[in-house]
Amino acid sequence: MTIRISGMASGMDIDKIVTDLMRAEKLPAQKLYQKKQSLIWSRDEYRNVNKTLSQLMNSADKLRFSANFSKLSASSSNESVVSATVKSGAKAASYSIQVNKLATSATLIGDELPVGTKFDETILANGTITISNGTTDKDIQLGSKTIKSVLNEISNSGLGVRASYDTKNNRITLVSETMGEKSEIELTGDTAALGFANGAVNKGNNAEVLVNGQSISISNNNLELDGVSLSLKGVSSSPVVVNVSKDISAVKNTVMDFVNLYNDTIDKLRSKTSETLFRDYKPLTDEEKSGMTEKQIELWESKAKSGLLRNDSIIEETIYSLRNALAQGLESTGSFKSLSDIGISFKSFLDGGVTELGKLKIDESKLEQAIIDHPEEIVNLFTQVPTADKSNPKERFSQTGFADRIYQTLQTQSSKISKKIGNGTNSEAVDNSYYGNLLKDLNSKILSMDDRLERIETRYYKQFTAMEKAIQQLNSQGSWLSQQLG
């Protein structure tokens, strides 16, 4: 370890002198650090691009399979009587539902309790009540308990009976958790303390429904017919019609969501390739940051990061490939050969200038009519599977449905980005990707440069230490001569 003597003999600020000398020596190293930081930022930018492509890929994936075009929806002519929802496996159908009676739960409502009775304070006299759900009995002691504690004991008895207190009307209510004819509550014993007659009993009712003219009795207010779930809400004097049919709006919205996301993706990709590059704004060093505010650092780095992917070949190729995938017609036996046949076309200069070129626009009424009139043709347009041999990629591409074209294009372009930057999430990872190898090379150069700078700094301090020692020796000799001559 080198002993540093800082200006004790010369009076010079050796540390400052060495720091100033090293500032010039460090310039090549700073350039390496700045190059590394720019590389890391570029890697992050590419990852954001891949996230954007992934989102569009997921949207295209929904259009690749015919099942996503076969969504059904259920509608009721009277939602206040019957509401319907579609479950997996449902088929298009129509049902006539007439609700003559709703299913009910067994319910007991007690008489009004004496004035002054307090739910959580009044202590009940000794006594016993027996509560039954029709199959099981439970004895509950009343003495030395409040009404609240007794009701809690009923609710937690395991009989499936909920006990509650009506504070406005000063009454107790018992309700069975089950519905239908098997739902029952019976109360015997010293029941007057709770406002009930000894032997009070109540049973629930089954729902009575006519389904397509057939009478059925069920113990609840829910019915499932061939994948359609019906919720009975009220009684009707005439049939309610429940229709299960293809959900036109769902298919339309799926297509429109894809188009909107496609346009958003094109905007994001173009913004990256056309971003202004500020060549004079390099990544800041720690020393430079120390003399700046956080806001100044933020503004500087926003410009330093700008334009890192300007005119990037992979992104430009992605934009071109996506447009080509949608512009080329489909070789099909169906009547729809292009997206324009269903109301989806590319925007022109008149639709908003240069920035709108390459993006899509939708004629919603034309799209909806195509879905209604030619549902199978719509499915084929997006999902058609090629029959040409794999040795003929151009012909296979022309036979491939538009959704799969987009999906395959995005997979290809995303893979190119991943090959360039790696698949990990660590921006400084040294891997076998192009960027990973660049970082490996930079790290090696930075390590060598740091070792060299350390040696140079040590040499400077050795030189100044030798100078200090020589000056100190001269000063000692001068003092000795002065003493001899004095």
Side-chain angles (χ1 to χ4, degrees):
M1 179 178 177
T2 304
I3 299 175
R4 296 178 178 179
I5 305 175
S6 300
M8 293 177 63
S10 65
M12 299 167 62
D13 188 347
I14 302 303
D15 286 334
K16 184 178 184 307
I17 293 172
V18 173
T19 299
D20 290 341
L21 289 170
M22 289 302 298
R23 187 173 287 115
E25 298 285 354
K26 288 180 178 178
L27 287 177
Q30 288 175 358
K31 290 182 179 179
L32 287 177
Y33 277 108
Q34 288 173 328
K35 187 174 182 180
K36 178 181 177 180
Q37 185 60 68
S38 292
L39 196 66
I40 290 171
W41 285 342
S42 296
R43 208 176 201 182
D44 289 337
E45 290 289 290
Y46 270 125
R47 285 202 174 95
N48 288 333
V49 169
N50 248 355
K51 287 180 182 178
T52 299
L53 299 186
S54 178
Q55 290 173 347
L56 183 60
M57 196 185 304
N58 290 337
S59 181
D61 192 39
K62 294 179 181 178
L63 295 170
R64 293 171 64 211
F65 305 102
S66 58
N68 291 318
F69 290 87
S70 303
K71 293 180 180 179
L72 300 176
S73 64
S75 62
S76 169
S77 62
N78 191 338
E79 289 283 344
S80 64
V81 174
V82 180
S83 64
T85 55
V86 174
K87 300 177 69 176
S88 176
K91 301 292 188 295
S94 182
Y95 301 98
S96 171
I97 310 294
Q98 182 170 325
V99 183
N100 294 324
K101 184 188 291 186
L102 289 174
T104 60
S105 298
T107 304
L108 284 178
I109 302 176
D111 296 331
E112 184 176 357
L113 297 176
V115 176
T117 301
K118 294 186 177 180
F119 171 62
D120 54 356
E121 293 183 14
T122 300
I123 303 298
L124 299 173
N126 290 333
T128 303
I129 63 169
T130 301
I131 185 168
S132 171
N133 62 6
T135 57
T136 306
D137 299 339
K138 177 79 173 179
D139 292 335
I140 296 176
Q141 302 300 319
L142 303 180
S144 303
K145 297 177 181 177
T146 63
I147 296 175
K148 178 180 179 181
S149 63
V150 171
L151 298 191
N152 286 338
E153 199 169 337
I154 293 173
S155 295
N156 297 322
S157 64
L159 296 174
V161 176
R162 298 190 305 272
S164 61
Y165 179 70
D166 181 353
T167 56
K168 291 185 177 180
N169 298 299
N170 200 22
R171 296 170 184 267
I172 293 172
T173 301
L174 304 178
V175 179
S176 174
E177 293 178 353
T178 60
M179 301 177 74
E181 293 176 349
K182 294 182 180 181
S183 173
E184 181 179 336
I185 301 175
E186 183 177 5
L187 205 60
T188 57
D190 300 310
T191 57
L194 302 180
F196 293 97
N198 183 18
V201 64
N202 185 260
K203 292 186 177 183
N205 295 310
N206 279 358
E208 295 180 3
V209 190
L210 284 174
V211 179
N212 290 346
Q214 180 179 347
S215 178
I216 61 173
S217 177
I218 54 177
S219 61
N220 55 66
N221 292 315
N222 295 293
L223 181 64
E224 187 169 310
L225 300 172
D226 197 19
V228 181
S229 181
L230 303 176
S231 178
L232 310 181
K233 297 179 177 180
V235 176
S236 59
S237 58
S238 58
V240 174
V241 178
V242 174
N243 283 317
V244 182
S245 57
K246 180 165 289 188
D247 193 342
I248 302 300
S249 62
V251 176
K252 176 184 171 183
N253 289 338
T254 300
V255 174
M256 290 181 64
D257 287 345
F258 166 76
V259 170
N260 291 333
L261 189 56
Y262 176 89
N263 289 341
D264 184 57
T265 300
I266 296 299
D267 275 336
K268 289 179 178 178
L269 296 180
R270 277 186 178 158
S271 69
K272 288 301 174 188
T273 60
S274 61
E275 209 170 43
T276 303
L277 177 63
F278 298 94
R279 298 186 184 278
D280 294 333
Y281 286 80
K282 304 295 183 183
L284 295 168
T285 63
D286 291 338
E287 185 178 353
E288 289 170 332
K289 288 181 180 179
S290 65
M292 301 171 68
T293 65
E294 289 187 8
K295 186 64 177 177
Q296 288 173 328
I297 293 173
E298 181 184 345
L299 291 173
W300 181 283
E301 290 191 341
S302 67
K303 290 195 172 184
K305 293 178 181 179
S306 176
L308 291 174
L309 300 184
R310 182 178 177 84
N311 297 327
D312 181 81
S313 59
I314 296 179
I315 298 178
E316 293 282 6
E317 183 185 50
T318 301
I319 296 172
Y320 170 79
S321 299
L322 288 173
R323 179 184 175 87
N324 182 60
L326 297 180
Q328 185 175 328
L330 177 69
E331 286 186 14
S332 169
T333 57
S335 56
F336 294 153
K337 308 290 186 182
S338 69
L339 291 178
S340 60
D341 292 335
I342 62 171
I344 301 174
S345 58
F346 284 101
K347 292 184 178 181
S348 67
F349 183 82
L350 297 176
D351 292 310
V354 177
T355 58
E356 295 300 296
L357 295 177
K359 292 160 67 173
L360 300 172
K361 61 181 178 180
I362 303 177
D363 182 336
E364 291 188 37
S365 60
K366 186 175 182 179
L367 173 61
E368 186 170 334
Q369 199 61 50
I371 295 172
I372 295 171
D373 295 341
H374 306 283
E376 298 304 321
E377 295 285 347
I378 288 283
V379 174
N380 188 69
L381 190 65
F382 287 99
T383 67
Q384 180 172 292
V385 178
T387 57
D389 190 83
K390 291 183 179 180
S391 61
N392 193 342
K394 287 187 177 180
E395 187 175 355
R396 280 183 66 84
F397 187 81
S398 66
Q399 295 175 353
T400 301
F402 287 104
D404 216 20
R405 285 185 191 178
I406 291 293
Y407 189 85
Q408 291 175 19
T409 297
L410 291 169
Q411 270 193 325
T412 299
Q413 297 306 114
S414 182
S415 295
K416 288 181 180 179
I417 292 176
S418 295
K419 185 177 180 180
K420 188 170 185 177
I421 67 171
N423 291 314
T425 57
N426 183 1
S427 299
E428 297 188 47
V430 174
D431 50 31
N432 292 325
S433 67
Y434 175 72
Y435 269 45
N437 286 320
L438 287 180
L439 278 171
K440 181 180 180 181
D441 183 55
L442 279 173
N443 287 338
S444 178
K445 290 180 179 178
I446 288 172
L447 185 61
S448 298
M449 185 65 73
D450 286 344
D451 289 340
R452 175 178 172 274
L453 291 172
E454 188 175 348
R455 291 195 300 272
I456 293 173
E457 186 179 51
T458 300
R459 189 183 75 233
Y460 279 139
Y461 272 109
K462 282 182 178 180
Q463 290 171 342
F464 279 107
T465 298
M467 180 193 74
E468 288 291 324
K469 288 180 178 178
I471 293 174
Q472 190 174 27
Q473 187 176 4
L474 286 173
N475 287 341
S476 297
Q477 290 175 351
S479 297
W480 181 81
L481 285 173
S482 296
Q483 290 174 359
Q484 297 299 316
L485 296 174

